[in-house]
Amino acid sequence: MATWNATSSSPSAASSPTSTRRTEAPRRWPSSESPPRKMRSIAEIMAVTAPVVDQAQDGGDVTVTRGDVVDRYGDVACEKCGSGERGDELLLCDICDRGFHMRCLRPIVVRVPIGQWLCVDCSDPLPVRCLSQRKIMHFFRIEKFDVTEIPELSQEETIKHKRKSRPLTLTKRRRRLLPFVPSKDPNQRDAQLRTLASALTTLKMKYSNELTYIPGMAPRSANQSMFEIGGVQVLPKEDIETLEQCRAMHRVGGYPPLVVVEDQFQGFTVEADGPIKDLTLIAEYAGDVDYLKNRAKDDCDSIMTLLLSEDPSQSLVICPDKYGNISRFVSGINNHNRYGKKMQNCKCVRYSINGEVRVLIVATRDISKGERLYYDYNGYEHAYPTHHFL
């Protein structure tokens, strides 16, 4: 075995006279002696910190000690519910020092924010970008924004009744999905797309109308309907034609008559900008496909169940945190009270399309203009807490 002599000079060392070589091992601190600290402890900092001088109401100065600070924030109560309990969930605004429970805020704060936190009254509204028509066409990948390209078919004309010999016994008739009817006014459609583009860019998301498979997450081969417990209902052929018709309208700038509005308590929500009839195909739930086990501690409030496998480690979810469409902003109902259930006007249904599981948002009743869209977050399992929803 070859050995190396420390006294012999190597060619690289001889060519660089300024190079230095370590001749001794780095110093190790004994186990009984702790290494020197690079930062002071909080006790040492508080010992040399000067008292805080606050301005009193009568104009004089009042010295505030550490004990006074503790007493000052010891009786802070939530501005919403008036309770001072659950102090670990009580957030204090960095400007007005008012307290709010995380579950009392709208939208709800699922975890303690990192860094500065401001309440609704002290925070500035989210910046809304105003996009031009050319940027909107590029954002939504519209091939040709032309009114004449959008088929002007009423929802009644899409249903073709075929006369067949009916038996004497009455049979239950299956109801077919209807394609959405875009707004006829091009300026109105342009305004609708602007609201969606502004909401997506505010959340730093990119538009996608399909499921996306990113390396490092679940592959496309994992999304097979045969892996579902009990199987998934197959989308009929005529409903597949309706889905393809909606996709064709997307490519030429035709979208459902919906707008994304920002609510002070609920965040971004979706409102109908025109009448929508029952069983209308509103949108397909889009986003990144990932394993449920990888999102167990995710704080995203829009994760959708895609596949429930017999092996829990193979169950899939849709995570619209980087890619998504208008389905990302549809609100959920409070399914713990009767009023919340009455607000539901659409639902998410899972279908098997060409062997893969897809999630479609379908209207469950007629929706009038100005009405917000709501569906039940716990359509398949009762795991998501919705008792604190509005």
Side-chain angles (χ1 to χ4, degrees):
M1 179 181 296
T3 59
W4 178 75
N5 188 4
T7 59
S8 63
S9 59
S10 61
S12 61
S15 60
S16 57
T18 59
S19 62
T20 59
R21 182 182 296 118
R22 176 179 291 177
T23 57
E24 60 180 3
R27 180 183 178 184
R28 295 185 178 180
W29 297 93
S31 58
S32 60
E33 182 181 357
S34 59
R37 294 177 300 177
K38 296 182 179 181
M39 295 181 293
R40 293 183 298 174
S41 63
I42 189 64
E44 297 175 350
I45 296 176
M46 295 298 295
V48 297
T49 301
V52 180
V53 178
D54 195 4
Q55 191 74 18
Q57 296 181 356
D58 55 358
D61 294 338
V62 178
T63 302
V64 182
T65 61
R66 284 183 294 171
D68 297 334
V69 174
V70 175
D71 296 338
R72 179 181 179 182
Y73 293 102
D75 55 351
V76 174
C78 177
E79 297 292 332
K80 298 294 183 180
C81 64
S83 174
E85 300 179 355
R86 305 193 314 272
D88 55 338
E89 300 181 3
L90 199 62
L91 300 179
L92 297 181
C93 178
D94 291 334
I95 294 181
C96 63
D97 286 340
R98 293 187 301 170
F100 299 87
H101 283 126
M102 294 189 295
R103 292 190 176 184
C104 295
L105 293 171
R106 297 295 184 273
I108 296 173
V109 181
V110 295
R111 64 180 179 181
V112 179
I114 300 176
Q116 187 183 33
W117 180 81
L118 303 179
C119 64
V120 178
D121 298 333
C122 299
S123 60
D124 297 329
L126 296 175
V128 179
R129 294 181 58 186
C130 183
L131 303 179
S132 61
Q133 185 177 8
R134 179 176 296 181
K135 291 184 178 180
I136 288 180
M137 294 179 61
H138 178 72
F139 187 84
F140 292 101
R141 299 187 292 274
I142 299 175
E143 297 177 359
K144 186 178 180 181
F145 199 89
D146 192 359
V147 186
T148 59
E149 295 291 337
I150 300 178
E152 298 182 358
L153 295 179
S154 61
Q155 294 180 342
E156 291 81 0
E157 294 176 353
T158 57
I159 304 177
K160 297 180 180 179
H161 299 278
K162 296 182 179 180
R163 294 184 179 181
K164 295 182 179 180
S165 58
R166 299 181 180 179
L168 296 179
T169 57
L170 297 178
T171 57
K172 184 177 180 180
R173 181 182 175 184
R174 193 194 67 82
R175 304 176 66 185
R176 178 181 175 180
L177 297 182
L178 304 177
F180 58 82
V181 178
S183 302
K184 295 182 179 180
D185 186 5
N187 296 327
Q188 185 179 5
R189 291 201 311 271
D190 190 18
Q192 295 167 1
L193 294 180
R194 289 178 190 272
T195 60
L196 176 57
S198 300
L200 291 174
T201 53
T202 301
L203 299 183
K204 299 180 180 180
M205 295 176 55
K206 295 182 179 180
Y207 173 77
S208 176
N209 213 27
E210 298 179 353
L211 298 179
T212 55
Y213 300 90
I214 299 179
M217 298 185 183
R220 188 166 188 171
S221 59
N223 183 15
Q224 301 294 328
S225 58
M226 59 182 178
F227 298 151
E228 173 72 20
I229 301 177
V232 184
Q233 56 181 333
V234 180
L235 188 66
K237 181 180 179 180
E238 52 270 19
D239 290 341
I240 294 180
E241 296 176 357
T242 301
L243 179 60
E244 293 299 330
Q245 181 180 355
C246 294
R247 291 177 177 176
M249 288 189 289
H250 288 161
R251 290 191 291 267
V252 295
Y255 284 84
L258 302 172
V259 291
V260 182
V261 296
E262 185 180 0
D263 187 85
Q264 182 180 3
F265 301 101
Q266 299 184 23
F268 288 111
T269 59
V270 179
E271 287 186 1
D273 199 28
I276 300 176
K277 289 197 173 183
D278 186 14
L279 282 181
T280 298
L281 178 57
I282 297 176
E284 178 182 354
Y285 209 93
D288 300 335
V289 179
D290 198 0
Y291 290 108
L292 177 61
K293 60 182 180 180
N294 298 339
R295 302 285 179 157
K297 298 182 180 180
D298 199 306
D299 58 352
C300 181
D301 58 348
S302 300
I303 295 180
M304 173 63 65
T305 301
L306 179 64
L307 178 67
L308 294 177
S309 176
E310 295 182 356
D311 185 3
S313 62
Q314 300 299 318
S315 297
L316 302 178
V317 293
I318 305 175
C319 310
D321 48 3
K322 296 181 181 179
Y323 297 89
N325 55 6
I326 199 168
S327 60
R328 165 68 173 81
F329 306 104
V330 180
S331 304
I333 65 169
N334 186 340
N335 52 13
H336 292 272
N337 58 46
R338 187 175 301 176
Y339 176 74
K341 295 181 179 180
K342 291 182 178 180
M343 297 171 58
Q344 182 177 356
N345 50 20
C346 56
K347 64 179 179 179
C348 289
V349 189
R350 294 186 298 161
Y351 288 103
S352 175
I353 304 176
N354 298 327
E356 296 182 354
V357 183
R358 301 290 184 89
V359 181
L360 304 181
I361 299 182
V362 182
T364 57
R365 58 176 174 84
D366 292 343
I367 304 175
S368 58
K369 182 178 180 180
E371 186 177 355
R372 292 188 178 181
L373 271 62
Y374 292 94
Y375 71 96
D376 191 356
Y377 278 6
N378 295 325
Y380 300 97
E381 65 280 340
H382 297 276
Y384 196 87
T386 61
H387 57 276
H388 48 263
F389 282 15
L390 292 180

